[in-house]
Amino acid sequence: FIPEHLTELAMAVTREGCIDETLSALAAAAEAEAINVVLETRLGMNKYLNITDSTLIWIRDELRKIALDESNHSALAWRTLKWVCSVDAEACRVVNEVFLDERKLAMDFYRRFGSLDMESEALMNLAAGWRKIYTAHESFKLIGKNLAHEHIFCASSASGTTSLLITLVDNILRNLMCNR
């Protein structure tokens, strides 16, 4: 790769993959989990209250598939960025400066999810998942710095939780840290 092309690739992958695909996966997961609340309690989002259970189950299941697919795209983007940072420190620096500043990432999150109730537990869980994913990249700015932590994470088994959000975050992190 020619260095300026690698920087362009890294910038596109970061914006479209690391940020947009990750937030899309989180959005689909949040919507699927909101439908679960409606199915379990018949309370929650008004937009779903007049829809039959069978239709809601179908929508929820499709959103789960979409969320998992988007998380795979996200993981590929984060792995690509990890590779760029391992071969071109300048491209990595530019991407981190332009896109991966914590304040900018928080703004990306709130642009996507800002219309939700900021005190809601679901939103706080989404924000925590988002932070966990983008802060994992910090350990790859200096490749090899957290290999012990990476090994422990990769050797552990996935939790038995039913939370789609936790499943997505773990999927992205495992693909980023454990696939070489």
Side-chain angles (χ1 to χ4, degrees):
F1 279 97
I2 301 170
E4 61 269 10
H5 295 297
L6 193 55
T7 300
E8 291 170 13
L9 170 72
M11 290 180 72
V13 161
T14 302
R15 165 54 49 210
E16 297 166 21
C18 298
I19 296 171
D20 292 342
E21 294 283 345
T22 303
L23 292 174
S24 293
L26 294 173
E31 201 67 25
E33 289 185 352
I35 290 172
N36 274 336
V37 170
V38 173
L39 287 167
E40 292 168 6
T41 65
R42 278 318 208 189
L43 300 172
M45 304 175 86
N46 288 332
K47 66 183 175 182
Y48 295 125
L49 291 178
N50 294 321
I51 300 174
T52 65
D53 283 0
S54 62
T55 301
L56 283 175
I57 290 168
W58 179 82
I59 293 169
R60 181 204 56 206
D61 292 348
E62 291 302 310
L63 283 168
R64 284 184 63 84
K65 290 176 194 171
I66 290 166
L68 291 169
D69 193 44
E70 293 293 299
S71 75
N72 289 330
H73 300 160
S74 166
L76 177 60
W78 286 106
R79 280 196 324 265
T80 302
L81 181 58
K82 178 182 173 181
W83 170 77
V84 167
C85 288
S86 74
V87 298
D88 189 333
E90 179 59 17
C92 188
R93 185 197 64 73
V94 169
V95 165
N96 282 303
E97 183 179 295
V98 172
F99 295 112
L100 298 179
D101 170 72
E102 189 167 355
R103 184 185 58 78
K104 291 175 184 175
L105 290 166
M107 288 177 60
D108 288 331
F109 178 85
Y110 289 110
R111 262 194 293 281
R112 178 68 74 95
F113 299 107
S115 64
L116 299 177
D117 176 13
M118 296 311 242
E119 298 302 317
S120 75
E121 184 179 344
L123 185 62
M124 291 181 352
N125 290 338
L126 282 173
W130 175 231
R131 274 191 304 280
K132 189 173 181 180
I133 293 164
Y134 73 70
T135 56
H137 171 69
E138 291 292 315
S139 66
F140 298 114
K141 285 182 183 177
L142 298 171
I143 298 299
K145 197 126 170 129
N146 290 329
L147 289 181
H149 173 57
E150 182 179 323
H151 175 72
I152 291 167
F153 180 81
C154 295
S156 69
S157 62
S159 66
T161 183
T162 58
S163 167
L164 179 57
L165 177 61
I166 292 171
T167 300
L168 288 180
V169 171
D170 283 352
N171 180 50
I172 293 167
L173 293 175
R174 282 187 191 291
N175 275 290
L176 171 60
M177 291 195 251
C178 306
N179 290 347
R180 297 203 183 277

